[in-house]
Amino acid sequence: MNEQTLIDSLASDCTGYPNRADVLALQPFTQDEVRARASRFLSLIEEVDHCAHDRANFVTRADRTLVQLAGGARAVVYHASGALQFHAGTTPFTAPFERVEERAVLTRLVTEAAQRLRVAEWAGENGSLAFERLFQSKGQGADREDRLAEAVLFRATGAWRHALGGIPVLGAASVALTLSGDGRLDALALNIRPGVAEKLDSAAVVAPEVAARQIAGHLASVLGKAKERLPDNVIASQTMRFGYLDLGKRKVQRVLAPVYLAQIVLRHRLETQGYVFAVPATERSYLELPLFGTETSANRSRTGTGGPCKDHVS
């Protein structure tokens, strides 16, 4: 693997970074504010899907509050970040689309649903939301003679990216909205922290080449000393973006600071590995950045599935 080629590729991929960027202190919030945030979230959903949530049952746990709703629907609010999730409780194959629609049609459908849900209101002062990507959940069957049936489109998901002062907040999709084939809301996730308390600093942004060199060093340390040298074409893809970094819905975070975030995919023989690295975009480090992929995921079970809302008004 040619390290200099990786550095040059990452640096050239990252364009449009500012000379300076603000370092922001995030607004802390109480458990009462967490509950109020969940209630507001559910009220907006109720306005759109006409599914009564006045019988919501709140169950508070150590790291999150679960909200059990009528008809098997459910919601979650994470205490560390204020992130919100809603699921209508329908099964994955319920209410598919009549046909596989064009991407432009599906993009329009999810965008119109987002407008009805007023998701832009969650962007906060000096914040904005921009549509980023469309995902489609499809299925296809075959008989014993390997004759394929027509593909079926089950769900369409739109993803939006939150930005503060024009700088994107990187990480999981800031908003993810999923529609079923009958146009109903199947799921909604809001990964936007409650707000900015104050500006801590205005820092000079280092050049992408500096960050790319750090990232190449991180990759080398993760790979370790291999017995045989990796070939030069081992890198299948590499991207690097500038922005703020959200550490995830289960992480407490007090500061948003500029970073460079890189995604690198290595493919060698029959094995493919993906890596994500974040390094400070400023000379001074304002945020402790994890080395992604070194943490062990906790096992979690999924409970509380159910049917669709029974009192839907058409």
Side-chain angles (χ1 to χ4, degrees):
M1 182 180 68
N2 190 314
E3 186 173 303
Q4 188 59 50
T5 300
L6 173 61
I7 293 170
D8 294 340
S9 298
L10 289 172
S12 62
D13 186 65
C14 188
T15 59
Y17 60 94
N19 293 325
R20 303 188 70 86
D22 292 338
V23 179
L24 306 173
L26 291 170
Q27 180 180 328
F29 49 94
T30 65
Q31 292 305 308
D32 288 340
E33 290 170 330
V34 166
R35 189 183 181 101
R37 186 173 169 88
S39 297
R40 176 192 170 199
F41 179 65
L42 294 174
S43 295
L44 289 173
I45 293 174
E46 184 176 357
E47 289 179 15
V48 173
D49 69 0
H50 309 290
C51 194
H53 300 317
D54 54 348
R55 299 185 298 277
N57 178 31
F58 286 75
V59 180
T60 302
R61 295 186 178 175
D63 61 340
R64 63 196 185 278
T65 295
L66 309 177
V67 189
Q68 299 168 345
L69 305 165
R74 59 193 183 275
V76 184
V77 55
Y78 292 88
H79 301 165
S81 64
L84 297 153
Q85 292 181 346
F86 167 82
H87 195 284
T90 54
T91 57
F93 302 137
T94 301
F97 287 78
E98 292 183 0
R99 58 183 177 276
V100 178
E101 298 284 2
E102 297 290 335
R103 295 185 66 86
V105 173
L106 297 174
T107 300
R108 176 178 57 80
L109 291 175
V110 296
T111 300
E112 290 174 350
Q115 292 171 348
R116 292 193 298 270
L117 287 161
R118 308 203 301 271
V119 297
E121 295 180 2
W122 296 87
E125 186 178 355
N126 201 32
S128 61
L129 280 174
F131 183 81
E132 188 171 67
R133 191 172 178 183
L134 177 76
F135 297 89
Q136 301 177 59
S137 299
K138 297 179 182 178
Q140 191 172 29
D143 61 18
R144 293 180 179 179
E145 283 72 39
D146 292 332
R147 291 175 297 193
L148 293 175
E150 291 187 7
V152 178
L153 175 63
F154 291 105
R155 297 292 183 267
T157 299
W160 284 259
R161 180 65 54 196
H162 184 218
L164 289 168
I167 299 177
V169 182
L170 307 176
S174 304
V175 176
L177 185 154
T178 302
L179 296 178
S180 55
D182 55 8
R184 297 188 187 183
L185 180 67
D186 182 70
L188 178 63
L190 288 172
N191 296 306
I192 301 175
R193 294 183 185 261
V196 175
E198 61 176 323
K199 182 175 80 172
L200 296 177
D201 197 2
S202 177
V205 174
V206 301
E209 292 80 2
V210 177
R213 194 167 297 279
Q214 294 183 57
I215 289 165
H218 286 330
L219 178 61
S221 67
V222 169
L223 293 177
K225 294 183 178 180
K227 293 182 179 179
E228 59 180 281
R229 186 179 182 276
L230 293 174
D232 291 342
N233 63 350
V234 70
I235 299 175
S237 65
Q238 68 283 318
T239 60
M240 189 169 75
R241 298 179 65 185
F242 170 86
Y244 295 121
L245 177 64
D246 189 301
L247 296 178
K249 61 191 177 186
R250 293 183 174 87
K251 296 284 189 180
V252 175
Q253 188 172 349
R254 301 303 184 200
V255 174
L256 280 178
V259 303
Y260 286 104
L261 185 71
Q263 295 175 287
I264 303 171
V265 176
L266 304 182
R267 186 173 294 120
H268 182 46
R269 295 175 181 168
L270 300 178
E271 185 176 358
T272 300
Q273 293 179 315
Y275 298 91
V276 179
F277 299 101
V279 298
T282 54
E283 291 186 359
R284 175 185 170 187
S285 181
Y286 296 87
L287 182 67
E288 184 178 351
L289 297 172
L291 189 60
F292 287 86
T294 59
E295 297 180 353
T296 302
S297 299
N299 291 325
R300 296 181 176 86
S301 61
R302 232 180 241 184
T303 58
T305 58
C309 176
K310 305 301 182 184
D311 50 357
H312 182 86
V313 179
S314 58

